[in-house]
């Protein structure tokens, strides 16, 4: 490759989960430290980072078509962007990307992106650079301070997965479970609050597997971390995602009843309602043990909103087993859910299992599941009518004077008045749709 002029603008395109969004922000902060600015809306950037997701579907093909599009857009604009591929596809298929896509200068995995600036120097010199090492915690120590962002911020506290669900690629792309140290997280949370965050969502592939030592040297789990973060002045709300049922401990459950800043919302994927399927997925829990766990949360926090992830069409799934999934949806009465068609991931045990399900069967099951989930979501929203709650203002609405924010139960709420992004506004929930609610402002702003 020919040497290039150093980039002055960048754009990060993040796909997939919130952890990728967090990583994308942090890569941006690294570049900003180097004086590289976000490209203005509508302009081609000098450096484009495709921050990819490998969890489902034809992830790699999508990356190649995105690269092709970038090269074409660059040619039309009369410049050649530097292209970096980051994220989980980079981790899983870095070598192939370098071999197949000559336009790519940098391939960087999710545990190595703190070394992006050096890789960029090499790329500017005309070299191609690949780094898919997994140096565990080193990345976080090497990142710059948090930049100012919106009122709701992400904070990665845990990464990786040791569970090896048979459908999932994450243990291979993100590596083993690691927890960031307690003190680093308290500091980063304080910095986020100083930069304007009112709400922090703690992130991890198995966030509730987080463990560490508190300021007094005592072992503590996520509940202890949440209790400490709740002491930060100016931080109004704490959330966390994604949890695994087997990593729940009593202290975290109790925190939901005791810590006012911990929002009444829990994302706890179950994936299937059938014990046979759960076993084949290597989930290591049953439908019943999951339901018992949900009961414990409801006992300490009766209004808790529950959300989950589901996979339909796992190899061998029968119609009766799918019916068990619909049954668990009815039993839990979720406030929201994510549901997916099973997608065979290369290298995972389920990809070579017998009984792969035909696409039309998967389509049909997904549609029925989503319809059922939608009914419960709508019912949950309707049951919220009349409740008085705080809404964190996140952005302006479509109409003049209209604002959008989130209720404690993570519902989208729109309302009117003289407010600003980051305000906590007390509203009464007045009307409910399937995906959002209308609020009437009830009290003055708690900025
Ligand atoms: N196919 C379909 N969905 C998957 N998920 C993870 N792996 C797969 C796969 N191979 C879903 C699970 C998980 C969510 C993040 O993505 O439901 O909880
Ligand atoms: Fe995608 Fe999973 Fe990687 Fe997130 S962790 S980017 S969802 S493969």
């Amino acid at each position: 490759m020919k040497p290039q002029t150093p980039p002055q603008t960048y754009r990060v395109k993040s796909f997939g989960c919130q952890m990728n969004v967090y990583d994308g922000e942090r890569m941006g902060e690294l570049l900003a430290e180097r004086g590289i600015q976000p490209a203005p809306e509508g302009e081609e950037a000098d450096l484009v980072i495709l921050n990819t997701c490998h969890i489902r579907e034809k992830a790699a093909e999508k990356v190649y078509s995105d690269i092709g599009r970038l090269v074409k857009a660059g040619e039309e604009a009369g410049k050649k962007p530097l292209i970096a591929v980051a994220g989980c596809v980079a981790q899983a298929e870095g070598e192939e990307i370098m071999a197949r896509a000559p336009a790519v200068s940098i391939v960087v995995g999710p545990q190595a992106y703190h070394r992006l600036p050096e890789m960029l120097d090499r790329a500017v010199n005309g070299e191609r650079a690949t780094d898919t090492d997994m140096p565990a915690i080193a990345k976080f120590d090497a990142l710059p301070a948090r930049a100012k962002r919106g009122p709701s911020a992400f904070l990665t506290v845990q990464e990786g997965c040791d569970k090896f669900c048979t459908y999932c690629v994450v243990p291979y792309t993100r590596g083993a479970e690691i927890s960031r140290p307690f003190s680093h997280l308290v500091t980063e949370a304080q910095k986020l609050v100083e930069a304007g965050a009112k709400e922090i969502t703690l992130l991890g592939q198995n966030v509730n597997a987080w463990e560490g030592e508190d300021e007094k040297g005592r072992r503590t789990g996520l509940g202890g971390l949440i209790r400490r973060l709740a002491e930060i002045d100016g931080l109004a709300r704490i959330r966390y995602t994604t949890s695994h049922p087997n990593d729940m401990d009593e202290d975290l459950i109790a925190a939901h009843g005791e810590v006012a800043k911990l929002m009444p919302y829990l994302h706890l994927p179950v994936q299937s309602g059938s014990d046979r399927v759960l076993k084949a997925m290597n989930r290591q829990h049953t439908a019943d043990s999951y339901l018992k766990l949900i009961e414990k949360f409801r006992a300490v926090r009766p209004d808790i909103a529950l959300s989950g992830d589901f996979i339909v069409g796992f190899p061998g799934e029968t119609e009766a087993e799918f019916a068990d999934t619909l049954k668990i949806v009815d039993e839990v009465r979720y406030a929201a859910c994510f549901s997916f068609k099973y997608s065979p991931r290369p290298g995972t045990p389920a990809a070579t299992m017998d009984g792969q399900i035909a696409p039309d069967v998967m389509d049909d099951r997904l549609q029925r599941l989503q319809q059922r989930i939608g009914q419960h979501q709508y019912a949950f929203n309707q049951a919220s009518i009349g409740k008085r709650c705080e809404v964190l203002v996140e952005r302006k609405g479509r109409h003049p004077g209209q604002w959008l924010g989130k209720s404690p139960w993570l519902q989208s709420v729109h309302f009117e008045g003289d407010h600003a992004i980051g305000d906590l506004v007390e509203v009464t929930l007045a009307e409910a749709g399937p995906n959002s609610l209308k609020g009437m402002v009830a009290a003055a702003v708690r900025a």
Side-chain angles (χ1 to χ4, degrees):
M1 282 196 153
K2 287 205 210 92
Q4 300 210 1
T5 37
Q8 297 191 339
T9 61
Y10 75 89
R11 177 166 294 123
V12 183
K13 288 179 72 180
S14 285
F15 304 90
C17 64
Q18 291 150 326
M19 301 196 60
N20 256 16
V21 175
Y22 175 89
D23 291 342
E25 288 178 2
R26 306 250 46 194
M27 286 189 258
E29 286 158 5
L30 269 170
L31 297 171
E33 214 184 25
R34 288 268 175 132
I36 308 172
Q37 299 302 321
E41 196 78 31
E43 264 180 42
E44 300 302 323
D46 301 337
L47 165 68
V48 180
I49 301 178
L50 298 173
N51 193 19
T52 59
C53 172
H54 203 231
I55 196 111
R56 281 177 295 272
E57 310 290 331
K58 303 180 178 73
E61 279 82 284
K62 198 171 161 355
V63 175
Y64 292 113
S65 65
D66 280 348
I67 294 167
R69 215 170 302 130
L70 285 172
V71 171
K72 196 154 167 274
E75 279 165 3
E76 279 163 15
K79 69 178 185 189
K80 200 163 162 265
L82 268 170
I83 301 176
V85 181
C88 293
V89 180
Q91 187 67 39
E93 303 189 20
E95 276 176 34
E96 290 98 297
I97 294 171
M98 277 301 191
R100 258 182 72 179
V104 172
S105 302
I106 293 173
V107 163
V108 61
Q111 307 301 3
Y113 65 77
H114 55 294
R115 298 200 283 242
L116 190 60
E118 302 144 46
M119 299 177 81
L120 196 56
D121 289 342
R122 286 170 53 196
V124 166
N125 283 328
E127 280 175 57
R128 302 176 84 199
T130 301
D131 192 341
T132 49
D133 274 3
M134 290 205 177
I137 211 81
K139 167 178 80 186
F140 294 103
D141 295 337
L143 294 172
R146 300 308 314 264
K148 192 167 173 57
R149 294 197 186 265
S152 184
F154 290 137
L155 171 52
T156 294
V157 305
Q158 181 279 342
E159 277 197 282
C161 182
D162 300 337
K163 306 285 186 301
F164 291 93
C165 297
T166 53
Y167 52 81
C168 190
V169 79
V170 167
Y172 313 98
T173 57
R174 290 268 172 175
E177 287 179 12
I178 55 143
S179 296
R180 294 181 62 195
F182 187 96
S183 62
H184 296 201
L185 296 170
V186 174
T187 306
E188 190 169 327
Q190 266 158 347
K191 292 268 153 52
L192 284 168
V193 173
E194 282 162 26
K198 298 279 171 59
E199 172 176 273
I200 293 182
T201 302
L202 309 177
L203 298 179
Q205 262 98 25
N206 287 280
V207 70
N208 60 335
W210 182 89
E211 55 173 4
E213 261 178 30
D214 69 10
E215 280 134 340
K216 298 202 173 88
R218 292 172 303 208
R219 295 302 297 168
T220 175
L222 191 67
L225 177 64
I226 287 171
R227 288 171 204 275
R228 173 64 186 85
L229 298 182
E231 291 171 11
I232 298 176
D233 279 343
L235 178 61
R237 295 176 156 195
I238 301 170
R239 303 181 184 277
Y240 60 96
T241 197
T242 289
S243 297
H244 190 287
N246 293 2
D247 288 324
M248 275 304 169
D249 67 20
E250 296 298 327
D251 184 54
L252 181 55
I253 298 171
H256 276 273
E258 293 162 9
V259 181
K261 292 183 182 179
L262 181 56
M263 291 294 103
Y265 185 95
L266 174 65
H267 181 66
L268 192 62
V270 65
Q271 313 296 355
S272 166
S274 151
D275 286 343
R276 209 249 349 132
V277 173
L278 288 171
K279 193 155 198 288
M281 287 176 163
N282 190 34
R283 288 289 296 177
Q284 317 232 28
H285 61 77
T286 61
D288 194 51
S289 67
Y290 176 86
L291 289 170
K292 290 213 165 78
L293 190 55
I294 297 285
E295 280 320 306
K296 287 190 179 180
F297 279 92
R298 287 204 160 123
V300 295
R301 190 72 214 227
D303 68 335
I304 195 161
L306 293 157
S307 92
D309 289 344
F310 289 92
I311 297 175
V312 300
F314 185 80
E317 185 188 68
T318 63
E319 178 57 30
E321 286 164 350
F322 172 67
D324 287 338
T325 295
L326 294 177
K327 188 163 152 246
I328 205 166
V329 168
D330 289 341
E331 280 166 337
V332 176
R333 292 169 278 116
Y334 289 97
C337 277
F338 302 91
S339 49
F340 312 101
K341 288 185 273 187
Y342 169 70
S343 165
R345 303 283 69 212
T348 59
T352 50
M353 282 181 186
D354 291 340
Q356 300 285 325
I357 304 292
D360 56 332
V361 175
M362 284 213 235
D363 286 339
D364 174 62
R365 288 183 188 166
L366 185 68
Q367 204 212 331
R368 283 151 67 203
L369 176 61
Q370 291 187 336
Q371 195 189 5
R372 190 71 64 96
I373 289 166
Q375 286 166 359
H376 286 289
Q377 183 173 321
Y378 192 22
F380 184 87
N381 287 349
Q382 281 180 317
S384 308
I385 292 176
K387 279 189 184 168
R388 198 173 156 136
C389 65
E390 278 187 342
V391 173
L392 177 61
V393 184
E394 288 179 358
R395 58 192 166 91
K396 285 189 172 159
R398 250 181 294 147
H399 310 295
Q402 192 188 47
W403 298 90
L404 286 177
K406 292 277 165 36
S407 77
W409 307 280
L410 209 63
Q411 298 150 300
S412 288
V413 181
H414 54 94
F415 52 96
E416 284 168 7
D418 186 16
H419 310 294
I421 290 169
D423 285 350
L424 279 152
V425 180
E426 193 147 339
V427 306
T428 302
L429 299 173
E431 284 171 35
N435 299 312
S436 65
L437 292 114
K438 181 176 174 159
M440 306 301 284
V441 176
V445 172
R446 176 156 78 94

